[in-house]
Every structure is written in C-alpha cells, then in structure tokens.
Amino acid sequence: MTNASSPFLRPLEIRGAKFNFPRAPLMVSTVLRMYLSLINTQCGFDENIFLLFKKKVAMLKKEENHGVLVFDEIFLRESLQVNFQTLTYSGLENFGGEIESSGLKANHGLVFLFQSLGANFTQPIIAVFASNGPVKGLVLAQLVIKAICLLEKSGVIVNGVVSDGATINRKLWSELGVTGEKGNIKNTFKHPLNNKRNIYMISDAPHLIKNIRNRLFNKKGLRESVDSNYIRWSHYEEVHKNDLERESIATSRMCPKITHRHLAPDSFSKMNVKLATQIFSNSMAKEIEYYRCHTKIKSLEKSEHTQLFTERMNVLENTLVWLDSWEDNVLNHTIPEVEFLTKSTAEGLRVTIKSVIDLSKHFLEECGFKYVLSSKMNQDRLEQFFSMARRATGPNDHPSCPTFVQVYKLLSVYSIIKSPKSGNCTISDLTQPKLTLKDIKDVFNKNDILPERQLKINHLKERLDTLITQDIEIDNVFQEDIFRNHDYYKSDTESCVLNYICGYVSKYINKHIKCSDCQKAVMNCQTSFCDITEATLTNIKSRGGSIHPNMFIFNLLMNVEKSFQKFCNDYDVFQLTVDDFFNKKFNSIKTFPCNEDVSQ
C-alpha cells in the first residue's frame, strides 16, 4: 500500500474499509501544448514513432502480434498553409521523400493502419501521404512494401493486406502478381523480408457486399443460367410491401428492420454497409420462403433463386464453385454480362474468400489460435478512424490537407500511449516495458538534433553575418540596382505596397537599436513626407506617424520579394528563397556603422 501522506493520494471509505487511490496531477494547457508540439506533423513514414510503437508491441502477447495492414484514401479539400515548425508549406503533394512530388495542391490522403487479429488493438502507423488525385498503382506498391518492412522491424507480424475495390487497388494487385481470374487465382505474394512467408491480399468484404447490392439494385435482376429464374430486386420489395400491409392488421412484422431506405437507397444510403447486409440476411431469405410457400403471394412464385442467392451470401461453403459456374455461363454466352457481377467484384470475392480460408487454417493449425475473428480482416477500423478525424476537424466531410495531417498524427500518438478504459490492477512485473511521457520526449526531442526550423534560422543568421561584415560605403547601397530599375516618374503598385510594409519593418528594427548612427542606417531622414514615387502610398495613408524606410532596407526587401516570387509555389520556399537571395551578385552591400549592433 502506498504511503497515505502523499499529496496525490486520498482516502476512500467503502463499507468500513479504507483504501488509498492515486490521484494523478492534471496537466496544464501549456504542458499539453509542449508535448503536442514535439510531434512531427510531416507526411511520410515517421521512424521515430515506430520506436514508440515497438515498445508498445513488446507489451503484447505473441498471438496478438499477428495482424493485417489496412490502407485507404480520404478525399481532402485543397488548402495551403505555412508550417512554422519547418518553415515550409503544408497542403502540397508530399510523399515524405519516398517519391518525387509534383508540387500541386493535395486533395487526397493515403493512410496506413495496422489491425491486430489477436487483440482489440489498431495502430495508424504514422504514415500519411498527401497526393493530387489517387496514388498511382506502382507508387502504392512501393509504399505498401516499405510499410510492411517497417512494421516487421517494430515486432509485429504482417499476414495480409486489406484494401477496397478501387481501380488503383486492383492495379496494386497486378503489380504484386495477385489475380482473381477464374481458374487462375493467386491471392498471395512473397514477404519482402522472408521468402518462406506469404502476404495474403484481401478485398474489403463490406465493400464487396455493397457492390453486389448496388449491382442487383441498378440492374433490377441477375440470372445464374439460362434455365434458372431471375434473382430480382422486386422480390425484396414485395416482402416489405406485404409486411407493411400485415402491420396495419397486426402489430408485429416478419422483417421489422427493413425500411424504405433499404429498398430505395439514395447516394448516401448506398454507402451504408448495414443496409446491404440486412437485405442479404438469413432472415430475409426465410421471409421470402414464408410469403411464397405459406402466404402464397403470387408475385413471389418464382423467387426460389432470389432466396437461394440470399442464403449463399451468408456462407462460404462452395461459394467459389458457384461463382465459377455462374461466370462460365457468361463466357459461354448463354447469359449476357449484365446478368453477372462486375469483373472487379467477382475477382475480389475469389481472392478474399480464398485468403480468409487460408489465413484461418494457418492461425488455427500453426499459430495456436483457438478461434479466428474474420471480422477484423476489413477496413472498419480505418473508416472509424476517418470518422474521428472528420469530427475533430469541424463540421465538414472533407477536411483540409494540413488540418487532417496534424489531426492524424495526434490521433496516431494517442492510440499508442492511451491508458486502459478501466481496471483495478497494479503492475506486478516491474521489468515489463511501459510507455511514459518521457519516452515521447526522448524520441521527439533529442538533444543532439536541432529542429528543422532552428537549423534553417541558424543558416540564415550565418548568411546575414557574412553579408553585413563586408566593408562597403553607406552611400553606395544598392546603387546600381537603383539607377537600373528605378523609374523616378512612375512606380508600380507592388513597389508602393512594399515601401509601405518596409516602414513597419524599419520601425520594428528601430525599437531594438539604441545607437543613433545605426538608426540612421535603417531609417529615412524624412519622416513626415518622402518625395520618391515608391512612397506614394505611404504618403497618402500616413497620418503623421508613418515611417519612411531607408533605401537600403527598401531595396533589400525588394530583392527578397523577387526571390520569394520565384519559389512561392515550392514546398521548401523558405530555404530556396534564402539561397537565391544570397547567391545574387550584389555590387554594394551595406555595413552597420558600429559592431555592437551587428547581431541585431
């Protein structure tokens, strides 16, 4: 029992017994901000986070290390923001240095997630890639391979890869040699780190079910062979119609869960997995049989194949044989293609069914699993993660790219360090690895590595020190540039606006300089009115307190502005602007009159 005199303990009396429970001190907002600021919000694989993830994995049991890699894309709003941590842009296409980016604004976010098959544990693996449009199949294959390698090095065992039925993901299958063609099913590819192991490809089952429902709803009827009756959508509608008519007489219904949204789904309802699975449930199959055989509904007289089709959607037994037989009739031209499933759906079903069966046998026979939860082999957790990210970014379905990347990283770190929801146990094994806030500081705030922002600022200071230590007369500052580019009769709007801004810059610099000689070096001797054409806007807006900058400061910032305009659309705009500015061959650079204020 812990010492009761501790200020973080409080006594609690329960039925005469006294227990001491630790009272954890709450963090103030400044401390929370400090820890959050340590997190790198850049795109790409964050290897520092994998160090934390590795320690988290060490706490899991052996069978809990088995899992699948899940990935999907989320649509984002195009937006551009400045990242003050790195002095770069956020919102441009960014693959974290893995692939060369185009420099366009990103409108898609590719996310990877690890789903454990032996525990209720998921972890976004700190890999988000911002792209303009969907990621290409070859690039996606390279990213998947690297994600598997990094996860394996962290201590988990990747057994499969889960994706939906998008065209890009099918291109990924072909890049990895996976196919679901009839008679040529190949549902695995070699593990990148171990040739004796295979990685199983799985198409998201909820998406497949929705595709089948949408195919039947759009075509209104499918047929397995020329001799069989049609599988009709109207049979489900008839069951619901008779159920509603019966409800007017009795208070009970045969299928109370079926509603109008199930049978006439709009664009949003078509994305709802629950509505599709309830249509293809065993209950619906039994209700079709009841209304056909017992109630003798005339419109359901030929609904045997609709009932059989619904029952087959609930079992895997002989499904591959049934699917091949159905496609044979299409290849033999006995039924048209519109009466069969789409090619992508059929191939996805074959690969998924075979992978689930093979993985289940592998876990039960070789890995010591007592049972296998096949429901974990889908994208549900990733969709939930997207939902959390959307809620965290405000009332919109499509968050901006910079905001999503930041929220993604915060949620990813949270899933590693979050404590259990409940429990009354204490740690008995002190040698068991634990995650603490110190681990975060050690990973993100290494003493021997300066932040990217500080490195760039230090580099800029060094270049500035080199610039101002040159021995040039004050009167010759940018003299050639002035006579070459300056028009004494007319100035463009850009020069007038920049001159107005330079006044504020000069005023700010003047606050930090006490030497009168140095003040003259950055200030114009004319304070109320200046007769140069660039000062036209300042003269108009001034109420007597505006400051006119020295021509040195004005021309200095003009050259900075020109360098910035060259690279304003590039990701690393700060560093490129600095390098371009200092690479210019200035014929005259000003020195400060005294050495005391050089550092200012």
Side-chain angles (χ1 to χ4, degrees):
M1 189 67 68
T2 313
N3 187 2
S5 62
S6 172
F8 299 120
L9 298 179
R10 60 180 178 182
L12 178 64
E13 295 186 1
I14 302 178
R15 293 184 180 180
K18 182 179 291 187
F19 300 92
N20 289 326
F21 293 90
R23 179 190 294 171
L26 296 177
M27 291 186 183
V28 295
S29 59
T30 54
V31 178
L32 289 174
R33 290 180 182 273
M34 180 191 70
Y35 283 112
L36 294 179
S37 65
L38 297 176
I39 301 173
N40 180 17
T41 57
Q42 296 299 299
C43 294
F45 295 105
D46 192 341
E47 296 188 3
N48 289 330
I49 287 293
F50 277 97
L51 298 177
L52 283 179
F53 182 55
K54 185 175 183 179
K55 198 167 186 179
K56 177 76 172 182
V57 171
M59 304 177 187
L60 302 177
K61 298 179 181 178
K62 184 178 180 180
E63 59 271 14
E64 294 175 345
N65 290 341
H66 290 271
V68 293
L69 175 66
V70 186
F71 68 89
D72 198 5
E73 287 186 316
I74 181 174
F75 185 80
L76 305 173
R77 286 186 294 110
E78 292 186 358
S79 178
L80 198 63
Q81 296 179 8
V82 177
N83 187 334
F84 292 100
Q85 287 185 340
T86 60
L87 298 178
T88 57
Y89 282 140
S90 294
L92 298 176
E93 187 176 67
N94 189 350
F95 292 98
E98 304 294 335
I99 306 294
E100 184 177 356
S101 60
S102 63
L104 301 174
K105 290 183 180 180
N107 51 26
H108 284 73
L110 174 64
V111 175
F112 289 92
L113 178 142
F114 175 77
Q115 165 74 56
S116 173
L117 297 178
N120 188 23
F121 170 66
T122 58
Q123 173 58 43
I125 62 172
I126 318 303
V128 57
F129 300 92
S131 64
N132 184 270
V135 179
K136 303 298 185 292
L138 179 60
V139 176
L140 185 58
Q142 296 172 355
L143 296 177
V144 167
I145 294 299
K146 182 165 184 178
I148 294 174
C149 295
L150 291 175
L151 282 171
E152 291 278 345
K153 291 179 180 179
S154 298
V156 298
I157 302 174
V158 181
N159 299 103
V161 177
V162 181
S163 63
D164 57 24
T167 305
I168 298 299
N169 297 333
R170 292 296 184 260
K171 177 64 176 177
L172 167 68
W173 284 17
S174 63
E175 293 288 346
L176 298 176
V178 176
T179 179
E181 294 180 357
K182 175 183 172 296
N184 187 31
I185 301 177
K186 188 176 185 302
N187 62 322
T188 64
F189 64 93
K190 288 296 181 182
H191 195 286
L193 299 178
N194 189 347
N195 291 330
K196 296 181 180 180
R197 290 173 52 194
N198 290 326
I199 301 293
Y200 293 85
M201 295 299 297
I202 301 173
S203 186
D204 185 44
H207 277 84
L208 293 175
I209 294 174
K210 288 190 295 184
N211 290 340
I212 296 173
R213 189 274 312 274
N214 295 340
R215 179 74 168 180
L216 180 57
F217 174 75
N218 293 331
K219 300 301 180 182
K220 301 303 179 184
L222 303 175
R223 188 168 51 161
E224 297 180 8
S225 66
V226 67
D227 299 326
S228 64
N229 293 323
Y230 276 90
I231 304 166
R232 296 191 180 278
W233 185 260
S234 60
H235 293 156
Y236 301 114
E237 294 175 336
E238 283 296 324
V239 170
H240 180 61
K241 176 184 175 182
N242 284 273
D243 232 18
L244 293 179
E245 292 176 353
R246 184 177 180 277
E247 187 182 21
S248 61
I249 303 174
T251 57
S252 60
R253 291 173 54 187
M254 293 291 295
C255 47
K257 294 183 179 180
I258 303 301
T259 63
H260 180 72
R261 287 186 65 201
H262 291 75
L263 301 171
D266 52 22
S267 57
F268 183 77
S269 299
K270 287 182 179 180
M271 301 175 63
N272 193 316
V273 179
K274 184 178 180 180
L275 300 182
T277 55
Q278 288 176 341
I279 282 289
F280 295 139
S281 64
N282 272 322
S283 298
M284 175 60 77
K286 300 304 180 184
E287 288 151 11
I288 293 175
E289 181 182 6
Y290 173 82
Y291 279 114
R292 182 184 69 250
C293 299
H294 298 278
T295 313
K296 305 296 183 181
I297 302 299
K298 186 176 181 180
S299 56
L300 295 176
E301 288 180 352
K302 299 181 179 180
S303 61
E304 295 90 349
H305 280 81
T306 304
Q307 175 191 343
L308 183 60
F309 175 81
T310 307
E311 291 174 346
R312 281 173 173 166
M313 292 294 295
N314 292 272
V315 294
L316 294 179
E317 185 178 2
N318 297 326
T319 301
L320 292 177
V321 177
W322 162 67
L323 195 61
D324 290 345
S325 175
W326 192 358
E327 188 171 357
D328 280 336
N329 293 322
V330 178
L331 298 176
N332 296 332
H333 303 289
T334 56
I335 61 173
E337 291 185 4
V338 294
E339 295 180 357
F340 182 59
L341 304 177
T342 62
K343 180 181 179 182
S344 176
T345 303
E347 293 183 358
L349 279 172
R350 289 192 182 95
V351 171
T352 301
I353 292 173
K354 193 173 189 314
S355 294
V356 171
I357 294 175
D358 293 346
L359 273 176
S360 299
K361 291 180 179 179
H362 170 72
F363 290 137
L364 295 173
E365 298 173 1
E366 301 179 21
C367 300
F369 276 52
K370 296 181 179 179
Y371 54 86
V372 178
L373 298 176
S374 59
S375 61
K376 292 182 177 292
M377 302 179 190
N378 56 41
Q379 290 183 326
D380 286 353
R381 286 304 183 93
L382 186 55
E383 296 295 343
Q384 292 175 8
F385 184 84
F386 285 158
S387 178
M388 292 170 57
R390 291 188 181 101
R391 291 198 301 269
T393 55
N396 56 77
D397 293 333
H398 306 300
S400 64
C401 180
T403 304
F404 174 74
V405 172
Q406 183 177 15
V407 171
Y408 174 83
K409 292 298 182 73
L410 295 180
L411 291 175
S412 301
V413 175
Y414 168 74
S415 64
I416 295 179
I417 65 174
K418 69 178 180 180
S419 58
K421 292 183 179 180
S422 61
N424 57 356
C425 301
T426 58
I427 300 176
S428 57
D429 185 5
L430 298 179
T431 61
Q432 184 73 11
K434 301 177 289 295
L435 281 177
T436 63
L437 291 176
K438 183 178 181 299
D439 295 322
I440 300 180
K441 294 178 66 176
D442 292 341
V443 169
F444 289 103
N445 197 20
K446 296 180 180 178
N447 295 326
D448 57 337
I449 300 178
L450 289 175
E452 184 177 354
R453 172 190 172 91
Q454 191 60 44
L455 289 174
K456 291 183 177 180
I457 292 178
N458 291 343
H459 177 69
L460 175 60
K461 288 181 178 180
E462 293 175 1
R463 302 296 293 269
L464 286 174
D465 290 341
T466 304
L467 183 149
I468 62 179
T469 54
Q470 300 181 26
D471 189 14
I472 305 296
E473 293 295 332
I474 294 178
D475 294 336
N476 294 329
V477 176
F478 288 104
Q479 187 172 5
E480 293 188 6
D481 284 346
I482 294 175
F483 287 107
R484 183 173 62 251
N485 300 324
H486 183 64
D487 185 354
Y488 287 95
Y489 298 98
K490 183 179 179 181
S491 293
D492 55 15
T493 304
E494 181 183 357
S495 299
C496 293
V497 173
L498 193 60
N499 184 274
Y500 183 73
I501 296 174
C502 286
Y504 284 96
V505 176
S506 300
K507 186 176 182 179
Y508 177 80
I509 296 175
N510 188 45
K511 291 181 180 180
H512 299 275
I513 298 178
K514 298 180 180 180
C515 176
S516 59
D517 293 334
C518 293
Q519 288 179 352
K520 294 178 181 179
V522 297
M523 301 286 293
N524 196 328
C525 58
Q526 297 173 311
T527 57
S528 60
F529 181 83
C530 187
D531 56 357
I532 64 173
T533 56
E534 287 86 350
T536 303
L537 179 63
T538 306
N539 292 329
I540 294 174
K541 294 178 68 68
S542 175
R543 297 181 180 179
S546 298
I547 295 177
H548 294 278
N550 185 283
M551 289 303 296
F552 164 71
I553 297 294
F554 173 70
N555 284 281
L556 181 70
L557 294 185
M558 277 290 293
N559 280 274
V560 173
E561 177 68 16
K562 291 177 181 178
S563 297
F564 173 77
Q565 290 177 357
K566 291 182 181 179
F567 308 103
C568 61
N569 293 323
D570 293 327
Y571 169 73
D572 199 3
V573 58
F574 177 85
Q575 193 61 47
L576 293 174
T577 301
V578 170
D579 293 340
D580 181 76
F581 173 76
F582 285 103
N583 288 334
K584 292 180 179 179
K585 302 298 183 181
F586 295 123
N587 294 323
S588 51
I589 301 294
K590 182 177 182 180
T591 59
F592 278 84
C594 62
N595 294 327
E596 295 180 1
D597 294 322
V598 167
S599 61
Q600 301 290 341

